[in-house]
Amino acid sequence: MFPVLEPQEIERVRRLGKVRSYGAGEALAKVGEKGHGLAIILTGRVDITQHDESGRREPIVTYGAGAFMGELAQLAGRPALVDAYAQAPVEALIIPPDQLRALLIAEAELGERIMRALILRRVGLIERGAGGPVIVGRAESGDVLRLQGFLRRNGHPHQRLNPETDPEAKALIERFQVDPGQLPIVLCPGGQLLRNPSETELARCIGLVGPIDPERLYDVAIVGAGPAGLAAAVYAASEGLAVLVLDCRAFGGQAGASARIENYLGFPTGIAGMALMARAHTQAQKFGVEMAIPDEAIGLEVLGDPNGHRFLLKLSDSERVSARSVVIASGARYRRLTVENLEAFEGASVHYWASPLEAKLCAAQELALVGGGNSAGQAVVYLASQASKVWLLVRGPDLSAGMSRYLVDRIAGLANVEVLTQTAITGLEGRDGMLEAIRWRCGKGEEERHAIQHLFLFIGAEPNTDWLSESGVALDGKGFVLTGTDAGQSRHPLETSRAGVFAIGDVRSGSVKRVASAVGEGAQVVATLHRALAAAGREQTAVLSR
């Protein structure tokens, strides 16, 4: 986590930065303020501190000559998550984000050591909650869960304070004169107070997302940051294309919500979906991919000649993105159960993914989970380690029809899991957004009522293609995007009915709903992109010469 560079290593990278001097007590970085990049200490010592819940500084580490400051935020030039103050006069080599990315690629061995340290430091900050926003609200609040889930899935540190038990929370409520009915509140590192913000408001406050340059023309805009979108971003950017990735919520998609993926090539002991997707997200940033998360695409237009390969993406915040090509990797939305009052319990008691946040809420309790696919199986295995009992409700006659054999066998060996086949939920009971009981019926039997406070739904997904309604991109009867010869005889593989627009991953008609296949399509589409962009360039040159 804290390697020290040798003098010869520092000399090799001097060309990538500039030397700056700091006086005793001067700040090299401040929480909430945009950082300058990686700082290699040449002389002097620098104290790295974090703020606790009361705003006091707590020491993390002291850097001396040869050490370097920074964590993953420096790859994208985002606000610092820690404070850094010079103990005495300091000289430091400041390497800005674009040159830091160049260093990681050009200096393979040194770059690996630096990247490993940046990742481990971010993990440490997440564990401490250092540098991130403070959420004040009850753990079981649906809005608290929403905000915590958003920050967790974006790999951002944060803290939560309980207003009923934490003195710091009570002090914040009194200081800002917050009515209990306005909770949760969020205190951003820069001092701003947000009252039950949206994910976008929170992201802008902490510097996760900034304005997009309306004048820039990207080689490719990728809509969706799941495994397919991130794979396409990594391969496209590593080959020199200017890439922008958009996602309305977080990187990782549905794969990021998987408790453990055990059938992905190269991970014999399995890997958490979030860990796998976080690596892909960091890898994309290493190659210079610009991330706009959360930022939602709501429309796609062709600019000028339909064969001219220039597109305009309209975003929910009235921003616009211009690109020479577009890759649709928007995946799918979770299906919702058709049962009365479902919406009233979503967030606090009805869940669509099984993260440590939800597992903590259900610890030592009974819970019900609906679903018969691999995602449901992975969630059952994970939740069974936390809950006293898991009721797995399946519409079909058995699990083997939609679930991998290794998961079926594992579930069969769990003593606290009871599988009910040909079972459907018939009613939900509760008040104030909290479930108190669930009713279900097995086959043609009598309705049963169980006192259960948490329900997990893994009943498949629908294509996220509503935003393409006026784009001219052809869909199949179920709303998935047609590609290749299904979209037109002259189309490239993975290309849609619109020349220059491609679709990959779960959103594509006929795709195999597996992480590995999504990653493969992300890699494959880049080769097709090159051919399409080259053809568009030749067409434009021919038009200009006439």
Side-chain angles (χ1 to χ4, degrees), residues 323-344:
R324 297 174 62 209
S325 64
V326 173
V327 174
I328 301 167
S330 48
R333 297 184 300 264
Y334 295 107
R335 282 203 184 104
R336 301 171 75 243
L337 198 65
T338 306
V339 62
E340 189 177 357
N341 297 332
L342 176 73
E343 188 175 333

Side-chain angles (χ1 to χ4, degrees), residues 185-508:
I185 58 171
V186 180
L187 184 63
C188 295
Q192 307 95 319
L193 180 75
L194 305 178
R195 298 172 191 263
N196 196 13
S198 67
E199 286 91 339
T200 301
E201 289 172 327
L202 177 55
R204 293 197 180 281
C205 189
I206 62 178
L208 265 185
V209 63
I212 296 173
D213 183 358
E215 302 300 319
R216 184 173 183 185
L217 178 64
Y218 294 91
D219 291 320
V220 55
I222 301 173
V223 182
L230 289 177
V234 167
Y235 285 103
S238 67
E239 295 180 15
L241 297 180
V243 182
L244 172 70
V245 173
L246 301 146
D247 197 286
C248 64
R249 180 169 174 79
F251 65 81
Q254 293 189 61
S258 295
R260 181 161 294 273
I261 301 171
E262 297 196 54
N263 58 355
Y264 189 70
L265 186 67
F267 294 91
T269 59
I271 183 170
M274 191 64 210
L276 181 64
M277 293 297 97
R279 295 181 185 189
H281 180 254
T282 300
Q283 192 174 18
Q285 289 184 300
K286 168 186 171 181
F287 287 114
V289 173
E290 186 175 334
M291 297 285 178
I293 305 174
D295 227 334
E296 184 176 10
I298 60 173
L300 171 63
E301 291 182 3
V302 179
L303 296 179
D305 180 1
N307 294 316
H309 284 213
R310 181 154 182 188
F311 304 94
L312 181 71
L313 278 170
K314 293 185 280 188
L315 309 183
S316 57
D317 55 5
S318 300
E319 287 187 304
R320 300 288 186 268
V321 173
S322 297
R324 297 174 62 209
S325 64
V326 173
V327 174
I328 301 167
S330 48
R333 297 184 300 264
Y334 295 107
R335 282 203 184 104
R336 301 171 75 243
L337 198 65
T338 306
V339 62
E340 189 177 357
N341 297 332
L342 176 73
E343 188 175 333
F345 303 110
E346 288 178 322
S349 290
V350 174
H351 314 284
Y352 293 89
W353 50 82
S355 77
L357 288 176
E358 289 77 29
K360 189 175 181 180
L361 287 176
C362 305
Q365 299 181 38
E366 288 192 20
L367 62 90
L369 188 147
V370 181
N374 277 1
S375 294
Q378 291 160 354
V380 166
V381 171
Y382 172 63
L383 292 170
S385 67
Q386 311 289 321
S388 61
K389 182 170 183 175
V390 177
W391 296 88
L392 176 55
L393 313 182
V394 184
R395 282 187 177 273
D398 57 59
L399 285 179
S400 59
M403 192 179 293
S404 295
R405 172 50 57 183
Y406 80 92
L407 284 170
V408 175
D409 293 342
R410 185 163 298 174
I411 290 171
L414 295 172
N416 63 336
V417 175
E418 185 166 344
V419 180
L420 301 179
T421 58
Q422 296 180 316
T423 301
I425 288 181
T426 54
L428 304 175
E429 301 175 14
R431 58 182 175 177
D432 300 326
M434 299 296 295
L435 267 179
E436 294 175 351
I438 301 174
R439 302 194 306 273
W440 62 67
R441 178 176 285 110
C442 300
K444 296 181 180 180
E446 294 185 1
E447 185 180 64
E448 300 179 25
R449 182 183 183 276
H450 294 261
I452 292 175
Q453 295 181 338
H454 292 279
L455 171 64
F456 290 79
L457 299 179
F458 288 81
I459 55 176
E462 299 169 340
N464 185 14
T465 52
D466 292 347
W467 63 281
L468 295 170
S469 60
E470 299 179 4
S471 66
V473 172
L475 310 178
D476 68 12
K478 295 182 179 179
F480 292 90
V481 180
L482 294 169
T483 56
T485 55
D486 290 336
Q489 290 300 318
S490 60
R491 292 296 175 239
H492 296 286
L494 303 178
E495 190 172 30
T496 71
S497 57
R498 278 287 192 194
V501 179
F502 304 82
I504 56 176
D506 289 358
V507 77
R508 189 179 68 81

Side-chain angles (χ1 to χ4, degrees), residues 158-181:
H158 63 279
Q159 301 174 61
R160 186 191 62 81
L161 300 179
N162 188 335
E164 298 173 356
T165 58
D166 290 318
E168 294 87 354
K170 295 177 181 177
L172 282 173
I173 290 172
E174 291 174 2
R175 183 193 312 171
F176 293 104
Q177 298 180 336
V178 178
D179 185 274

